Amino acid sequence: MSGASPDSDERLAGLAGLRDRLRRLYHGTSPAAFRFQVAAVIVDMAIIAFFIATPVLQETRTFLWVDYTVAALVAADLVARLLASNDMLRLMKQPTSWVDVFVLVTLLFPTALANLGFLRILRLWTLSRSGALWRHFPSGTVREWRDASHAVINLVTFLLVVTGFVYTFFFRAGAGFAGYVDALYFTVTTVTTTGFGDLVLPGVAGELTSIVTMLIGISLFVRLAKAIFRPHKVYFPCPQCGLQRHEPDAVHCKACGHLLNIPDEGQ
């Protein structure tokens, strides 16, 4: 007589129950889900703080213990989000998942991949794109500033990535906090095109690094300015075509003409 064994059925039922619980925690709106999501964001911010402080901490005796602990947290979060997803393959194809896998690999091999450790700060970008930061805010408050917040986070992420790159390949001789501050100072003066000239990167590689930093940094500043000063719009998905942003007093969707019912601010 063919068929699955009772033990196999129990394991499948247990896995389905686990996925359902994780789905409610990661994507639900209940008080328990809210507490879990806030705790996850706090843990993520602590992990990002560790990534920023890595150049200063990597010479300490406890660094590897902290590094592997963070690796366990990142791996657990990645596996849990995969289990909570309705389409695992689609989730793994997203750039945010690629970044998380890359960050996990650098954490598992901190010595062999030490020169790529500065890219871990990209975790800040994946956090901003996850939606967990905005999900519980009402439409009339923080969500109107979501684009500007994304622009700020993109700029901060770029500054920290470049700082880590400059420190790793140019300023490591001044290891520790002083070397990292020098790298941050050079990055900020280059991105803002102030160019005091008291710190410069040597050779052709240094000149090319400065050029790329200035070009990308200026474009990120322009994007931030556009996000802050463009006309105010509200987030209200059109039931017909799905267009997200509309003028606060819009009656019809400008894309498809569907009748809208945008609530007044404060409702």
Side-chain angles (χ1 to χ4, degrees), residues 92-130:
M92 285 306 300
K93 289 181 179 179
Q94 295 179 1
T96 53
S97 297
W98 302 346
V99 170
D100 287 342
V101 171
F102 172 79
V103 168
L104 178 59
V105 172
T106 63
L107 288 167
L108 293 174
F109 304 98
T111 303
L113 300 178
N115 285 345
L116 298 178
F118 66 92
L119 292 174
R120 295 173 181 173
I121 196 59
L122 291 174
R123 175 85 176 184
L124 177 61
W125 175 78
T126 64
L127 176 62
S128 73
R129 297 290 168 174
S130 67

Side-chain angles (χ1 to χ4, degrees), residues 134 143-154 223-224 226-230 235 245:
W134 327 108
R143 294 184 65 181
E144 275 74 11
W145 294 95
R146 183 165 53 182
D147 288 346
S149 301
H150 281 318
V152 170
I153 290 173
N154 289 342
R223 183 173 180 181
L224 174 59
K226 289 174 62 177
I228 292 175
F229 295 109
R230 68 182 174 187
Y235 282 89
R245 295 171 57 86

Side-chain angles (χ1 to χ4, degrees), residues 8-68:
S8 177
D9 290 339
E10 288 181 5
R11 285 194 294 268
L12 290 175
L15 179 60
L18 174 63
R19 294 189 64 184
D20 183 61
R21 287 193 295 273
L22 289 173
R23 196 173 292 117
R24 290 198 301 267
L25 288 174
Y26 274 91
H27 306 295
T29 57
S30 66
F34 175 76
R35 290 191 295 269
F36 173 83
Q37 292 160 17
V38 170
V41 170
I42 292 173
V43 171
D44 264 319
M45 296 306 295
I47 290 173
I48 290 166
F50 167 72
F51 292 160
I52 296 173
T54 292
V56 180
L57 300 176
Q58 60 188 355
E59 302 300 328
T60 62
R61 279 188 275 180
T62 59
F63 173 74
L64 286 180
W65 289 100
V66 178
D67 182 274
Y68 288 130

Side-chain angles (χ1 to χ4, degrees), residues 188-245:
V188 173
T189 57
T190 302
V191 167
T192 58
T193 68
T194 304
F196 292 118
D198 50 345
L199 284 177
V200 295
L201 303 185
V204 175
E207 293 174 347
L208 291 175
T209 299
S210 301
I211 291 171
V212 172
T213 300
M214 282 187 284
L215 292 176
I216 298 179
I218 290 172
S219 66
L220 290 174
F221 270 120
V222 171
R223 183 173 180 181
L224 174 59
K226 289 174 62 177
I228 292 175
F229 295 109
R230 68 182 174 187
H232 169 69
K233 292 186 178 182
V234 297
Y235 282 89
F236 185 83
C238 173
Q240 185 73 23
C241 69
L243 183 68
Q244 297 275 325
R245 295 171 57 86

